[in-house]
Amino acid sequence: MSRDLLYRSARQIAADVRTGKISAAEVARAFLDRIEATDGQLKAFITLSPIAEPPNPAGPLAGVPVVLKDNLCTRDVPTTCGSKILRDYRAPYEATVVTRLRAAGATILGKTNLDEFAMGSSTENSAFFTTRNPWDLDRVPGGSSGGSAAAVAAGQACAALGSDTGGSIRQPAALCGVVGFKPTYGRVSRYGLVAFGSSLDQIGPITRDVADAALLLQVIGGPDPLDSTSLPDPPPDYLNQIERDIRGLRIGLPKEYFGEGLDSEVRARVMEALKLLESRGATLTDVELPLTPYAIATYYIVAPSEASSNLARYDGVHYGHRTEASGSLIDLYARSRAEGFGPEVRRRIILGTFALSSDRIDAYYHRAQRVRRLIARDFERAFRLVDVIAGPTSPTAAFRIGEKAADPLSMYLCDVYTVSANLAGIPGLSVPCGFTSSDLPVGLQILGRALDDLTVLQVGRAYERETGPMTRRPPLPAPSS
Ligand code: GLN
């Protein structure tokens, strides 16, 4: 089996399947073999899917092997959210994005690991196991879509879907050396995405190049009568417009994204990438996002508040795990939840319930909502001066498994450059921009105006065009030590 196939673009695989050079079944077989050879070490998958013949062998994703973060509902296999409470949950319906992938001819290979209910930045909060970083198995892949990013980086899948509430597509993409895109809020239907923070959640692609991200977005995006927050207008043809000359493009560099806490090697790689864009005619301008120091605090009020409300439905009666212990109805709720939820999810439910409680709601939730509005205004002001904003996706490269697990606050600080895009609803892309001296990938983040997903993708593509396709591959399977 050719290793080349495992790293071929979705565009190429679909073209080869459409012209009959290779069959969808042969492609699927190659990727399943790769999963078998590597997933004992990588642990990206919670469930493998039964492979059905793709319904559309002429579609834009004909035969393209895609994996799904396990908070996207599928009918054929369980949707666990990385939680004991949903361990055996089988959704009675399928997420709109999954239906659209299948209609486009994609082959769904399986469901990938995540932090429980997408709460985390490392997959260490999964109730089942921690996914490894394919570049260094002792390190985290990032999170919460860590299984999806690791699988794409390791050639176990050509592309993946993740969800991003505060960075969960972009940060694992950065840490695994792949492309991750969080679209404008509303661009992609959330129907069938298990809700975490409904006003922040957005589904997006994880791929190995920007054009594939554009292709996937085109397939999954667009209005959906089943999600009232989905945008009414059809998305533009991203893929056909992806090539653009960046001469005259104004790139804003927020000084708040290059300050204390940023690893020096990450800073160096990101600056090299920005200088490259400058040498091709873009202009680099300093901009200010003065509310940045409040972004983490704001996010960690808004997201847990919405989570505490969204997760109220897991009560041992409607869904999922029910305690064996007998007692009153209240005991049933309390025990089922205590047995089913892990520590981080419990922490967030408690934080959110507190922030929404009648005598605290003004001091916490309402105030956070006002700051959220100001954060959005920071971006509106900056986007009067520049076309996109760029900086690092994550302050550090992949950290060691266990390094931050005991200190929730240090984990929350990983999200410092990503949460603002969710609070403001704007699109954000992470593109690989080189490696640290310990051979760990670094991600460049590009943020754009609301609804201007296209420009963000074009800038990412322009960078990629200059550097050429990534030829480095993760050392997998790794020799056993
Ligand atoms: N790391 C962030 C959190 O823990 C973001 C998670 C996400 O985007 N789903 O909430």
Side-chain angles (χ1 to χ4, degrees), residues 206-283:
I206 296 175
T207 55
R208 283 185 302 252
D209 70 31
V210 177
D212 273 0
L215 171 60
L216 258 86
L217 179 62
Q218 211 154 304
V219 167
I220 64 173
D224 178 9
L226 298 172
D227 174 3
S228 63
T229 64
S230 67
L231 293 163
D233 55 314
D237 187 336
Y238 297 109
L239 188 56
N240 259 317
Q241 300 176 67
I242 194 81
E243 303 295 343
R244 157 182 175 171
D245 185 345
I246 56 160
R247 263 176 293 178
L249 181 99
R250 298 163 305 169
I251 302 177
L253 276 53
K255 65 171 191 311
E256 295 83 0
Y257 286 20
F258 291 89
E260 202 194 325
L262 176 60
D263 176 86
S264 60
E265 288 193 88
V266 172
R267 181 201 315 262
R269 289 302 90 75
V270 167
M271 283 316 300
E272 286 157 19
L274 293 169
K275 291 284 176 204
L276 180 63
L277 291 171
E278 187 180 39
S279 75
R280 294 300 181 274
T283 57

Side-chain angles (χ1 to χ4, degrees), residues 288-299:
E288 286 184 14
L289 297 172
L291 272 285
T292 301
Y294 304 99
I296 292 279
T298 305
Y299 172 83

Side-chain angles (χ1 to χ4, degrees), residues 69 71 114-122 125 143-145 163-172 182 196-197 200-202 299-300 303-304 344 348 411-412 414-415 418-419 422:
K69 187 177 185 177
N71 60 354
L114 67 159
D115 290 292
E116 186 174 4
F117 284 99
M119 298 176 190
S121 309
S122 68
N125 296 336
S144 62
S145 315
S163 67
D164 191 312
T165 306
S168 279
I169 291 174
R170 291 161 286 157
Q171 185 258 16
K182 181 201 92 73
F196 164 9
L200 305 159
D201 297 341
Q202 190 61 191
Y299 172 83
Y300 278 96
E344 182 62 27
R348 304 240 185 154
M411 193 71 89
Y412 297 172
C414 299
D415 307 332
T418 49
V419 293
N422 303 75

Side-chain angles (χ1 to χ4, degrees), residues 253-257 286-296 298 371 374-383 385 389 420:
L253 276 53
K255 65 171 191 311
E256 295 83 0
Y257 286 20
D286 289 331
V287 293
E288 286 184 14
L289 297 172
L291 272 285
T292 301
Y294 304 99
I296 292 279
T298 305
V371 181
L374 295 176
I375 288 171
R377 206 162 65 190
D378 266 4
F379 282 108
E380 286 158 18
R381 289 205 174 117
F383 284 129
L385 306 173
I389 287 173
S420 296

Side-chain angles (χ1 to χ4, degrees), residues 64-84:
V64 174
V66 179
V67 294
L68 307 171
K69 187 177 185 177
D70 204 20
N71 60 354
L72 291 164
C73 288
T74 47
R75 242 188 259 110
D76 53 354
V77 292
T79 299
T80 69
C81 289
S83 181
K84 275 197 276 190

